[in-house]
Amino acid sequence: MGLLDGLLGNASEKDAQELQEELTKVLASTERVERAYVLIRDQIIFTNKRLITVDKQGVTGKKAELLSIPYRSITQFSMETTGHFDLESELKIWVRGQAAPIIKTFRDDKSIHDIYRALSEYAL
């Protein structure tokens, strides 16, 4: 159901070991991927040292922007769940030195809860 979940705006968990191999060029020598989630083409990756968001761009998704956020730089985060008329949930992450939060939108409360819990474990 991973592809269908992604198309619907639901995050699905990705194999951390597979992603570890894909990211060897950008990970520190002692860094390891612990959890990863895919949202359509974008990714939210939790390592033992930082949060990495991957924003795939273009038609093919070959071009990607990686944003690296050390956990100590996360000042606050919030979650807004779906309602009766509002079918989207949002995760907001505020980073020290940036006025506006990073916003990720989901259509599934289960996946946003999983990511929020992981963020709580790593950032607190």
Side-chain angles (χ1 to χ4, degrees):
M1 243 229 243
L3 178 61
L4 183 58
D5 277 345
L7 292 173
L8 294 175
N10 302 331
S12 58
E13 196 158 2
K14 186 168 182 171
D15 182 63
Q17 185 60 37
E18 177 185 322
L19 207 48
Q20 179 82 29
E21 294 169 13
E22 288 179 31
L23 295 173
T24 54
K25 293 179 183 177
V26 297
L27 295 177
S29 60
T30 59
E31 190 172 16
R32 67 184 178 284
V33 174
E34 296 191 345
R35 291 187 184 169
Y37 298 89
V38 178
L39 180 61
I40 305 177
R41 297 187 309 174
D42 297 345
Q43 298 173 342
I44 300 172
I45 303 163
F46 294 90
T47 75
N48 59 321
K49 298 183 181 285
R50 61 184 159 164
L51 174 67
I52 301 171
T53 62
V54 180
D55 180 15
K56 300 265 179 138
Q57 301 170 358
V59 176
T60 63
K62 186 173 182 176
K63 182 177 180 179
E65 177 186 7
L66 278 75
L67 176 64
S68 177
I69 306 164
Y71 293 124
R72 68 181 179 278
S73 296
I74 297 173
T75 58
Q76 61 187 20
F77 49 96
S78 71
M79 172 179 64
E80 180 182 295
T81 60
T82 60
H84 289 294
F85 300 109
D86 185 5
L87 301 178
E88 293 182 338
S89 55
E90 285 185 344
L91 176 69
K92 295 179 184 175
I93 303 170
W94 283 265
V95 178
R96 187 177 311 131
Q98 293 184 355
I102 297 166
I103 300 172
K104 297 291 181 183
T105 304
F106 303 82
R107 294 193 187 277
D108 178 332
D109 276 350
K110 180 193 179 312
S111 57
I112 196 171
H113 281 99
D114 291 345
I115 294 171
Y116 190 85
R117 185 179 317 108
L119 191 55
S120 298
E121 289 175 13
Y122 291 102
L124 298 179

